[in-house]
Amino acid sequence: MEAAPLRATARPIPSVTGALRAIEAVLLRSGQRTARRNAWTSVLEDRRRARDRYDAEYVLQAAATRRPHAT
């Protein structure tokens, strides 16, 4: 006896992000949603700037401790 072939469904599987946004839409008014998204965008931007500072410090430290090349 053969198993029935699997069919692809037309419905996409909801993501966690999509589910959280749906809950957020129900619980919060639009102004609160905007404020929360703006705050999260600021957090991500701060993390990016911190990473850029760290990378720049690493490069400067490496350049400062590099031995001069003998000719």
Side-chain angles (χ1 to χ4, degrees):
M1 182 174 190
E2 278 188 49
L6 296 175
R7 293 187 313 184
T9 60
R11 283 187 303 166
I13 298 172
S15 67
V16 173
T17 303
L20 290 175
R21 285 187 191 236
I23 292 169
E24 178 187 53
V26 171
L27 297 177
L28 301 176
R29 288 186 258 160
S30 64
Q32 290 172 320
R33 277 195 311 265
T34 301
R36 185 175 296 239
R37 286 198 184 119
N38 288 344
W40 183 244
T41 300
S42 295
V43 167
L44 295 177
E45 184 65 21
D46 288 345
R47 288 179 181 176
R48 186 194 61 77
R49 281 195 297 262
R51 180 65 187 187
D52 290 346
R53 280 194 307 273
Y54 175 83
D55 291 345
E57 183 179 342
Y58 179 82
V59 168
L60 290 172
Q61 187 67 30
T65 57
R66 186 174 157 209
R67 295 184 196 191
H69 199 295
T71 54

